[in-house]
């Protein structure tokens, strides 16, 4: 599995002008292909008078799903360079739509490729990206008398505390790099005088 990936920090748009044509790149995180397609449809509704609404998206930490569309531009001059910019920047779970309002000057195939790819690149720079790293989920169950201090120690140590549940006992869900599992197990045992139970779960991605 991919150890980490980048994704779009937040939804937003960035505009550039090339030879009187406006290129507006809208970016958004997308957890699924359906989310990406819904975003594309929404941007098209917001720009019904645009000459083109071209798109590209990458879903999956390993970039398993990749799609691109030229929306009437010459084949391979819009969606593909947009997709290449996303994959070159190692951006995943993200969708880009570049809306073009034609300004009267033809750019040629090379100019279109540079314009559409560049619009995505500039938008990524303007909006920013975040890195998400693969974690192993671990659940620590401990008595109420030790839970508060343990949670504080976990946060102070920079651990990724994902959820805390209070019941008859307290369960704290933590995200761990795989390489830290053994040392974390020993740390929990030492911190709770052996009274805590540690159960390892599946894997997920979280902030790096």
């Amino acid at each position: 599995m991919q150890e980490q990936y980048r994704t779009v920090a937040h939804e937003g748009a960035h505009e550039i002008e090339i030879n009187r044509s406006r290129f507006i790149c809208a970016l958004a995180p997308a957890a699924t292909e359906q989310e990406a397609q819904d975003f594309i449809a929404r941007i098209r509704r917001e720009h019904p008078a645009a000459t083109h609404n071209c798109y590209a998206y990458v879903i999956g930490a390993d970039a398993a799903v990749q799609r691109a569309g030229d929306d009437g531009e010459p084949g391979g001059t819009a969606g593909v360079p947009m997709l290449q910019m996303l994959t070159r920047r190692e951006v995943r779970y993200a969708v880009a739509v570049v809306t073009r309002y034609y300004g009267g000057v033809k750019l040629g195939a090379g100019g279109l490729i540079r314009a559409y790819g560049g619009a995505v690149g500039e938008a990524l720079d303007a909006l920013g990206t975040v890195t998400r790293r693969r974690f192993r989920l671990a659940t620590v169950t401990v008595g109420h008398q030790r839970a508060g201090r343990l949670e504080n120690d976990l946060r102070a140590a920079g651990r990724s505390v994902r959820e805390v549940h209070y019941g008859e006992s307290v369960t704290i869900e933590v995200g761990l790099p795989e390489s830290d599992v053994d040392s974390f197990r020993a740390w929990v045992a030492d911190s709770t005088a052996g009274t805590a139970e540690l159960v390892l779960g599946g894997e997920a991605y979280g902030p790096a």
Side-chain angles (χ1 to χ4, degrees):
M1 284 182 69
Q2 192 83 5
E3 285 300 317
Q4 65 181 39
Y5 65 87
R6 293 189 185 94
T7 194
V8 182
H10 54 84
E11 181 181 326
H14 180 73
E15 180 174 341
I16 61 175
E17 184 176 319
I18 300 173
N19 286 353
R20 298 205 297 271
S21 278
R22 294 170 60 204
F23 292 85
I24 307 164
C25 180
L27 288 173
T32 65
E33 187 167 13
Q34 186 61 55
E35 280 189 24
Q37 292 171 351
D38 290 346
F39 180 75
I40 294 164
R42 173 158 64 86
I43 297 301
R44 283 177 170 161
R45 288 194 300 272
E46 291 175 4
H47 295 278
T51 317
H52 306 280
N53 284 290
C54 306
Y55 70 86
Y57 58 84
V58 182
I59 307 297
D62 55 356
V65 177
Q66 302 183 24
R67 301 281 186 272
D70 296 314
D71 193 32
E73 292 281 31
T77 63
V80 169
M82 291 168 61
L83 182 62
Q84 289 173 338
M85 182 61 70
L86 292 175
T87 56
R88 189 182 311 146
R89 296 283 192 95
E90 298 182 343
V91 175
R92 309 288 187 259
Y93 290 108
V95 54
V97 181
V98 174
T99 299
R100 182 188 184 190
Y101 287 90
Y102 182 56
V105 179
K106 292 187 176 182
L107 301 181
L112 289 173
I113 290 170
R114 288 189 295 274
Y116 278 99
V120 174
E122 288 199 26
L124 288 170
D125 290 339
L127 298 176
T129 59
V130 292
T131 299
R132 298 180 71 82
R133 183 170 294 138
R134 185 162 63 97
F135 287 101
R136 184 74 178 272
L137 298 177
T139 301
V140 181
T141 303
V142 68
H144 285 268
Q145 69 276 15
R146 296 183 184 272
R149 179 178 176 182
L150 180 62
E151 182 182 350
N152 288 339
D153 288 348
L154 285 167
R155 295 186 188 279
R159 293 296 184 185
S160 173
V161 177
R162 298 168 64 89
E163 292 185 11
V164 181
H165 296 286
Y166 293 89
E168 291 185 10
S169 53
V170 181
T171 57
I172 304 172
E173 187 178 271
V174 181
L176 301 169
E178 188 71 40
S179 59
D180 286 0
V181 168
D182 289 341
S183 61
F184 181 72
R185 188 188 300 276
W187 180 85
V188 168
D190 185 58
S191 297
T192 63
T195 61
E197 178 187 8
L198 174 64
V199 177
L200 294 177
E203 293 178 329
Y205 287 88

